[in-house]
């Protein structure tokens, strides 16, 4: 095998030396002390004597040039030993470029710091600014802002959903009401009145409103989520209540009625279906569809539920706060005896029974005489003789409530006798807001087509509402 002509190694040596070790870098690699002189110089390192008397010195590596150490040292090692790299002279153009670059970095750092301080200033805000920002965030709420979980119940105008607000992950109860059904039942005024009243009320013993919005076909009312079921459900399960359970429910309803009466409002539809328990077992008053601001002349307003309506409403007379107190007496009678005092197939039959005889019950087994007395006083047919004619305070002073600590009830620190029944959120409470079944399908379809007209949509004008972060309060201004 021919590998070509051989060259003399001596001829290649200068080329090899110039390529590997250029002349300019030889001083950097040359040790200041030659190897021969280092071997002749006596060692200054410590030594020790062996047991045999022989002197033994410690072998160490030869010293290394500081320039070699600096050039081959990593950045971390150079920072550790505080070794500064060799200074290389820079051109004037490079110095100018670096100064401009550093100035740009400084400006960006100052701008970043100003932005951070601006964010800190925004975090420290007044309550007015916070409420304004919350209103802006919640101003554009619509159906897509909520996650629909499942149906809680069915009402006369639509369904009641359990929903979750996507931004805050907080859950609410949403009443989805069909505008066509509202028009077919001529209840536009009732629905709009409920939203107006609830937007001005806030109390711990009523179902408070948080948001209200609409689209072309539906109205949406977002309220407190009450997971304990309504009172009618518990009556169906237990048939009768004990005296303490009845007293607890009536006392809580008295606090809600006292708040409404301080705002000059009468509910006019108090019944077990409109009393719903929260997760702590405390009842709350709901459904303000036929609630009204109290007026001297209201004889033509006869709305309500037969069986719980006061005689003055049935007879189309002017009525006041006593209509709500009469409904409380009906509920006590129902809890005590398992039935209402006046029963009939129609409103006319109930009215005839009411005008025929005054109800007067006697003491029942397991109940005190004070319970029968307060029931009889609340069921007086003439409102001027009825207990509570001058206000709720006269009812609260009745001997039946002498052991009630009203302040602990307001603070909700009193143990609820319904806590075990209403504590589980997994129970499927089906709250029937209304037992009516719609049979006017043709009329509903006709009204659905009428929703395309702007004049019909104007009937639901200004239905939107958001709570602006308002918290619960037992004091409120007078509603005019």
């Amino acid at each position: 095998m021919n590998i070509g002509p051989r060259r003399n190694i001596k001829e290649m040596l200068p080329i090899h030396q110039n390529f590997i070790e250029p002349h300019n870098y030889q001083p950097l690699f040359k040790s200041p002390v030659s190897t021969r002189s280092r071997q002749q110089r006596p060692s200054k390192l410590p030594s020790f004597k062996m047991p045999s008397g022989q002197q033994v010195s410690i072998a160490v590596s030869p010293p290394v040039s500081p320039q070699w150490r600096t050039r081959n040292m990593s950045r971390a090692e150079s920072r550790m030993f505080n070794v500064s790299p060799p200074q290389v002279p820079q051109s004037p153009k490079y110095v100018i470029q670096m100064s401009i670059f550093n100035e740009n970095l400084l400006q960006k750092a100052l701008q970043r710091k100003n932005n951070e301080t601006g964010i800190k200033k925004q975090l420290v805000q007044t309550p007015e600014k916070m409420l304004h920002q919350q209103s802006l965030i919640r101003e554009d709420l619509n159906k897509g802002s909520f996650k629909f979980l499942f149906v809680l119940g069915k009402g006369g105008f639509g369904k009641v959903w359990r929903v979750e607000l996507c931004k805050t992950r907080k859950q609410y109860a949403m009443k989805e009401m069909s505008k066509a059904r509202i028009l077919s039942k001529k209840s536009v005024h009732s629905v709009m009145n409920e939203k107006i009243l609830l937007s001005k009320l806030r109390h711990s013993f009523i179902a408070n409103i948080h948001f209200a919005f609409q689209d072309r076909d539906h109205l949406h009312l977002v309220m407190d989520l009450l997971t304990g079921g309504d009172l009618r459900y518990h009556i169906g399960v237990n048939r009768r209540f004990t005296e303490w359970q009845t007293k607890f429910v009536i006392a809580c309803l008295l606090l809600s009625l006292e708040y409404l009466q301080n705002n000059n409002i009468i509910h006019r539809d108090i019944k077990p279906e409109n009393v719903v328990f929260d997760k702590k077992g405390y009842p709350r008053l709901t459904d303000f569809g036929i609630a009204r601001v109290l007026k001297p002349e209201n004889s033509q307003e006869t709305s309500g539920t037969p069986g719980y309506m006061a005689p003055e409403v049935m007879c189309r007379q002017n009525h006041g706060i006593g209509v709500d107190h009469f409904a409380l007496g009906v509920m006590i009678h129902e809890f005590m005896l398992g039935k209402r005092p006046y029963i009939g197939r129609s409103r006319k039959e109930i009215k005839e029974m009411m005008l025929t005889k005054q109800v007067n019950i006697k003491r029942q087994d397991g109940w005190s005489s004070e319970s029968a007395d307060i029931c009889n006083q609340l069921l007086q047919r003439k409102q001027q003789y009825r207990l509570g004619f001058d206000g709720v305070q006269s009812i609260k002073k009745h001997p039946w409530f002498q052991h009630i600590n009203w302040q602990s009830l307001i603070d909700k620190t009193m143990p609820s006798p319904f806590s075990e029944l209403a504590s589980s959120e997994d129970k499927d409470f089906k709250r029937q807001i209304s037992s009516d079944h719609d049979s006017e399908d043709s009329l509903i379809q006709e009204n659905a087509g009428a929703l395309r007209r702007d004049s019909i949509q104007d009937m639901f004008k200004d239905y939107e509402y958001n709570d602006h972060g308002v918290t619960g309060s037992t004091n409120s201004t007078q509603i005019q």
Side-chain angles (χ1 to χ4, degrees), residues 310-410:
E312 57 268 25
V313 180
M314 300 284 286
C315 297
R316 297 180 180 274
Q317 299 176 358
N318 291 330
H319 50 273
I321 60 176
V323 298
D324 294 335
H325 303 157
F326 184 87
L328 293 181
V330 175
M331 292 176 62
I332 295 176
H333 189 282
E334 188 174 4
F335 297 159
M336 188 183 301
L337 302 177
K339 62 180 181 178
R340 296 190 297 270
Y342 304 107
I343 303 175
R345 297 180 180 179
S346 63
R347 179 172 177 173
K348 183 178 180 181
E349 291 183 5
I350 296 175
K351 180 181 178 181
E352 291 177 355
M353 291 184 61
M354 188 179 296
L355 298 178
T356 301
K357 183 180 179 180
Q358 170 67 50
V359 174
N360 190 5
I361 63 175
K362 297 181 181 180
R363 178 181 177 181
Q364 302 295 320
D365 294 337
W367 293 70
S368 62
S369 58
E370 290 81 6
S371 60
D373 180 69
I374 192 173
C375 182
N376 292 329
Q377 292 192 46
L378 290 174
L379 290 176
Q380 289 294 319
R381 291 182 294 180
K382 293 185 178 181
Q383 52 182 332
Q384 60 269 24
Y385 299 147
R386 192 177 303 151
L387 183 64
F389 178 74
D390 54 348
V392 178
Q393 291 297 327
S394 60
I395 304 178
K396 295 170 67 175
K397 292 179 181 179
H398 191 274
W400 196 48
F401 295 109
Q402 62 180 348
H403 298 298
I404 291 291
N405 187 344
W406 294 101
Q407 187 59 44
S408 63
L409 193 63
I410 293 173

Side-chain angles (χ1 to χ4, degrees), residues 75-144:
R75 293 183 180 180
E77 292 175 344
S78 63
R79 287 195 300 267
M80 184 183 300
F81 293 102
N82 294 326
V83 178
S84 59
Q87 297 295 330
V88 180
Q90 307 294 345
S91 63
K93 182 178 179 181
Y94 179 80
V95 174
I96 295 174
Q97 291 178 350
M98 288 303 297
S99 62
I100 296 174
F101 178 75
N102 293 333
E103 186 177 358
N104 293 334
L105 287 180
L106 181 61
Q107 291 179 357
K108 291 181 179 180
L110 291 175
Q111 185 178 3
R112 192 182 305 112
K113 185 176 181 180
N114 294 333
N115 294 336
E116 293 177 356
T117 55
I119 293 174
K120 292 181 180 179
K121 289 181 180 179
Q122 291 177 3
L123 296 177
V124 182
Q125 294 178 342
T126 60
E128 292 77 8
K129 291 184 179 180
M130 295 177 64
L131 296 179
H132 178 66
Q133 288 185 353
Q134 291 178 0
S135 65
L136 293 178
I137 293 173
R138 297 172 177 173
E139 187 176 1
D140 298 331
L141 283 180
N142 51 42
K143 194 173 180 180

Side-chain angles (χ1 to χ4, degrees), residues 64-82:
V64 183
S65 171
Q67 295 179 353
W68 184 92
R69 179 187 295 275
T70 303
R71 186 166 52 84
N72 292 275
M73 189 181 297
S74 64
R75 293 183 180 180
E77 292 175 344
S78 63
R79 287 195 300 267
M80 184 183 300
F81 293 102
N82 294 326

